[in-house]
Amino acid sequence: MKNNKYSRNYVSIPSTILVILLLVWVMVPFYIMFFASFKPNFSILRLPPDLVPLKDFTLVNYKAVFERADVFLWMKNSFIISVSVALATAFIAVTAGYAFAKIKFPGKNVFFALVMATLMMPKQMLLIPNYLVAYNLHLQDSFHGVILTTIAPAFGVFLSRQYITSLPSTLFDAAEIDGCSELGKFFRVALPLSLPAVGTISIFAFFTSFNDYLWQLIMLSNKKLMTMPVGLSFFGQTMHNNRAAQLALSSIGTIPLILIFIACQKFFIKGATVGAVKG
Amino acid sequence: MNPKKQKYTPRERYKARWAYVFLAPWLLMFLIFYAYPLIYGTIVSFTNYTIGSMKWIGLENYRTIFTDYRFWRSLRATIFYMLIVMPLQVFVPLWIANTIQAYKRGFNTAVKLVAYIPGVTCSVALVLAWRFMLDPNIGFVTSFLKKIFGARFSPFNTASTAIPIIAVLIAFTNLGATLIIYSAALNAIPADYYEAAELDGATRWDQLTKITIPLLQPTIVYVFITSTIGALQIFVIPQLMTQGGPNFMTSTVLLLIYSAAFGDNKFGYASALGVILFLITAIFALIQFRITRRETVEY
């Protein structure tokens, strides 16, 4: 056992090749989306299509997209909604997570059971009643309505509770002895120390709400409030035969998200394991 | 007197009041946008609610659902999707995680990132790309399939080909998160176990089946439950690929809820479907809840 410290560190070449092939296959739609968007419609519609990168390079599809679709408006709307949802979710999650982690209070277990229950039960199930509640509160067709109804803090509450539990209690005791108020302990000790958890929670909330096509489709019928996913689907219907333009708009909608994802990758690696592996 | 209540000193009682202040934003959101809709939706399911009017009709909606072929078709399709999506989501990331475990940071991280990318993309954008590839007339993948299966082959005309295709697309958009979960769980297994097993002459296959899989069992169960619950919520991809057609053969329960409410304006009926979907999901959530509770006893 010279340089093979763990036997699970065994490199299986056939298996590795299969993994790579699978990932290549997963990336095929992205390759097509991106490279076909720079080609004239006719060259991607013939059989077999011409998918050689940068051959017959043209910007005509992007021109069509910017003429016929409110790309910037849709993008802006999506960002307004998802950034607000991300910040609000993180705030709600960290305040509740702090209470669960560091304060003793009657009913704690019952409340935490509710957090766990909502964590397991996705909100889509309540699609119709949620819509009716939003409708009765006059929350449809407005950003604040979509934002309020999209905030789903269960995952974040759970994550920040786990995180704040791991912070030493002596820190909070010391702050209290030094005369810190209850609010002060939260804002000056808990919040600054749980910024990594805040990052993970907001990034997850951001991507979830950015991709929340179904809810935005139902809630926003005003064209001025249309978001990127709804706009993409709308454009796909109205420009049914212009495949290259559809792919150009898809690229515009996808690339910023992939860049943000790559920039924030470490939060994903941390956050994804919450709930599955007890830390 | 409840002995629990006596444990609070005046100072602690003051702090406990602050706990409710910190809890308030979450509790408010929970009550207005989760608990209240849950109750309201159950009430609406016993009425013939349309926007503007509402009349109590008892169990009528439920009676209609169980005689509605659209419900049975959507339920059957949902289970069909689930039976393909679930094993793929449980075992493919496990296999990838086990394979890349041997590699150092660079390749290991790259695989995780690439596997995650479809999960952070707008699913609508992905669907537009797939629709281009799989279009019944002009899609090059379809035309390739036609060469194999004959010119009249049309993958989206029958559920027996449409559902597997859509299910595979769904399963591979969510590889990343599960892969990271498995990788973390694999890393948590102490190396000694493998070293000891190897000294005792265990083969690699023995190590996989006798150490790795048994120790990963809680993680596998977690992934199994969450992907099952996730499969019950399938909506976007079938809606954009087939609209649930032909005639609800590739529809899902959530898609039927959507079309009953926003297509037919039958909110009572849609709410009753929602209650049924909620109950099915609750069964799986309950199983998961009991398992997690068992493991977090020490908290």
Side-chain angles (χ1 to χ4, degrees):
Chain A
M1 279 188 291
K2 288 147 273 155
N3 38 11
N4 118 14
K5 220 168 97 205
Y6 322 124
S7 49
R8 65 179 149 172
N9 279 16
Y10 172 75
V11 176
S12 159
I13 301 292
S15 198
T16 307
I17 292 171
L18 278 177
V19 167
I20 293 172
L21 285 178
L22 177 72
L23 293 183
V24 167
W25 189 64
V26 166
M27 292 313 282
V28 164
F30 293 93
Y31 174 91
I32 287 170
M33 198 191 286
F34 188 70
F35 288 110
S37 72
F38 291 108
K39 287 174 183 296
N41 214 17
F42 64 82
S43 60
I44 63 163
L45 287 185
R46 65 170 168 243
L47 287 171
D50 160 32
L51 293 165
V52 185
L54 306 182
K55 204 179 129 207
D56 299 328
F57 182 87
T58 172
L59 288 173
V60 66
N61 304 312
Y62 286 88
K63 209 173 143 245
V65 167
F66 286 114
E67 273 167 8
R68 288 160 196 245
D70 276 326
V71 192
F72 293 111
L73 179 76
W74 298 346
M75 209 50 155
K76 194 185 81 187
N77 291 346
S78 274
F79 269 92
I80 292 175
I81 292 174
S82 354
V83 170
S84 317
V85 168
L87 295 177
T89 305
F91 176 76
I92 295 173
V94 176
T95 46
Y98 170 68
F100 282 123
K102 290 294 174 201
I103 311 178
K104 195 168 84 174
F105 60 92
K108 189 164 163 172
N109 290 336
V110 177
F111 287 122
F112 198 65
L114 291 177
V115 172
M116 293 302 288
T118 49
L119 187 64
M120 294 311 301
M121 303 289 290
K123 246 187 153 178
Q124 284 98 307
M125 217 132 5
L126 299 172
L127 185 74
I128 303 305
N130 257 325
Y131 173 76
L132 296 177
V133 169
Y135 181 85
N136 292 336
L137 295 173
H138 302 288
L139 288 175
Q140 60 352 338
D141 255 332
S142 72
F143 281 154
H144 64 264
V146 177
I147 293 163
L148 268 175
T149 47
T150 305
I151 298 168
F155 168 81
V157 174
F158 184 73
L159 189 147
S160 63
R161 170 195 173 264
Q162 300 294 87
Y163 192 85
I164 297 172
T165 307
S166 72
L167 300 174
S169 290
T170 43
L171 276 176
F172 295 92
D173 297 340
E176 198 174 320
I177 290 163
D178 289 345
C180 216
S181 68
E182 291 302 309
L183 268 182
K185 277 200 291 185
F186 173 74
F187 281 107
R188 291 186 187 178
V189 186
L191 193 59
L193 287 175
S194 47
L195 283 182
V198 170
T200 305
I201 296 163
S202 12
I203 278 293
F204 270 88
F206 172 84
F207 277 98
T208 314
S209 82
F210 203 104
N211 280 330
D212 199 356
Y213 165 72
L214 173 56
W215 188 241
Q216 290 162 7
L217 176 72
I218 292 171
M219 286 287 281
L220 301 169
S221 49
N222 184 340
K223 276 200 172 162
K224 290 223 156 53
L225 303 179
M226 212 184 246
T227 59
M228 202 65 204
V230 182
L232 266 167
S233 139
F234 171 75
F235 192 76
Q237 284 157 20
T238 49
M239 300 282 282
H240 185 70
N241 291 318
N242 194 343
R243 299 294 172 135
Q246 288 181 24
L247 296 173
L249 182 60
S250 301
S251 302
I252 298 172
T254 300
I255 289 167
L257 289 182
I258 295 183
L259 293 179
I260 296 173
F261 165 68
I262 291 172
C264 305
Q265 41 154 308
K266 63 170 187 183
F267 289 118
F268 280 89
I269 306 225
K270 271 191 217 143
T273 54
V274 168
V277 201
K278 186 179 59 67
Chain B
M1 274 292 263
N2 184 346
K4 254 184 161 177
K5 274 186 180 153
Q6 289 170 346
K7 278 195 288 186
Y8 288 88
T9 62
R11 177 78 193 137
E12 279 175 337
R13 217 171 293 141
Y14 169 75
K15 280 191 188 172
R17 271 204 292 274
W18 270 101
Y20 296 118
V21 175
F22 287 121
L23 219 53
W26 164 75
L27 193 60
L28 209 65
M29 293 301 294
F30 171 79
L31 290 175
I32 303 175
F33 296 116
Y34 203 102
Y36 174 60
L38 190 59
I39 297 162
Y40 188 62
T42 313
I43 296 169
V44 169
S45 79
F46 297 110
T47 69
N48 65 353
Y49 191 106
T50 52
I51 293 287
S53 83
M54 182 165 160
K55 200 179 128 231
W56 188 267
I57 55 168
L59 286 170
E60 192 56 41
N61 285 324
Y62 291 92
R63 222 169 283 142
T64 320
I65 286 171
F66 290 116
T67 55
D68 186 347
Y69 79 94
R70 297 180 307 168
F71 170 69
W72 293 110
R73 282 187 179 179
S74 304
L75 186 66
R76 192 173 58 191
T78 307
I79 294 169
F80 199 170
Y81 284 117
M82 194 200 310
L83 290 178
I84 302 170
V85 170
M86 193 262 297
L88 287 175
Q89 282 186 341
V90 172
F91 294 109
V92 172
L94 178 59
W95 158 64
I96 300 177
N98 196 48
T99 304
I100 64 169
Q101 191 69 16
Y103 292 92
K104 297 264 158 4
R105 292 197 66 116
F107 181 68
N108 193 298
T109 314
V111 168
K112 287 177 190 162
L113 285 186
V114 172
Y116 216 121
I117 283 178
V120 293
T121 316
C122 270
S123 0
V124 186
L126 265 180
V127 170
L128 291 180
W130 288 330
R131 279 215 306 228
F132 164 63
M133 294 156 68
L134 291 161
D135 187 281
N137 305 312
I138 56 149
F140 63 93
V141 177
T142 320
S143 81
F144 176 75
L145 291 174
K146 276 181 180 165
K147 275 190 191 132
I148 302 174
F149 295 106
R152 294 174 58 86
F153 178 74
S154 189
F156 292 104
N157 276 358
T158 73
S160 57
T161 46
I163 289 179
I165 293 174
I166 296 173
V168 169
L169 297 179
I170 294 169
F172 290 154
T173 53
N174 290 319
L175 283 180
T178 323
L179 173 58
I180 291 170
I181 290 170
Y182 279 130
S183 269
L186 276 175
N187 279 328
I189 301 177
D192 319 1
Y193 292 11
Y194 294 95
E195 279 170 15
E198 205 164 86
L199 285 175
D200 291 343
T203 62
R204 249 173 249 114
W205 178 252
D206 287 338
Q207 294 178 23
L208 179 70
T209 52
K210 304 226 167 82
I211 302 176
T212 311
I213 307 268
L215 285 174
L216 283 187
Q217 201 206 333
T219 315
I220 295 173
V221 172
Y222 170 83
V223 174
F224 168 78
I225 300 281
T226 43
S227 77
T228 306
I229 292 176
L232 291 169
Q233 321 300 318
I234 292 172
F235 174 86
V236 181
I237 295 173
Q239 201 241 349
L240 295 167
M241 295 293 284
T242 62
Q243 285 84 44
N247 203 1
F248 291 88
M249 293 302 273
T250 62
S251 169
T252 64
V253 179
L254 194 57
L255 229 160
L256 180 61
I257 292 177
Y258 171 80
S259 65
F262 300 98
D264 309 342
N265 193 17
K266 288 183 179 162
F267 284 88
Y269 186 76
S271 297
L273 283 166
V275 170
I276 292 171
L277 186 60
F278 189 89
L279 291 177
I280 299 174
T281 315
I283 294 169
F284 289 100
L286 216 64
I287 299 171
Q288 173 61 21
F289 194 52
R290 304 203 83 169
I291 295 169
T292 356
R293 265 178 85 100
R294 211 167 45 219
E295 276 155 27
T296 47
V297 164
E298 70 247 49
Y299 279 109

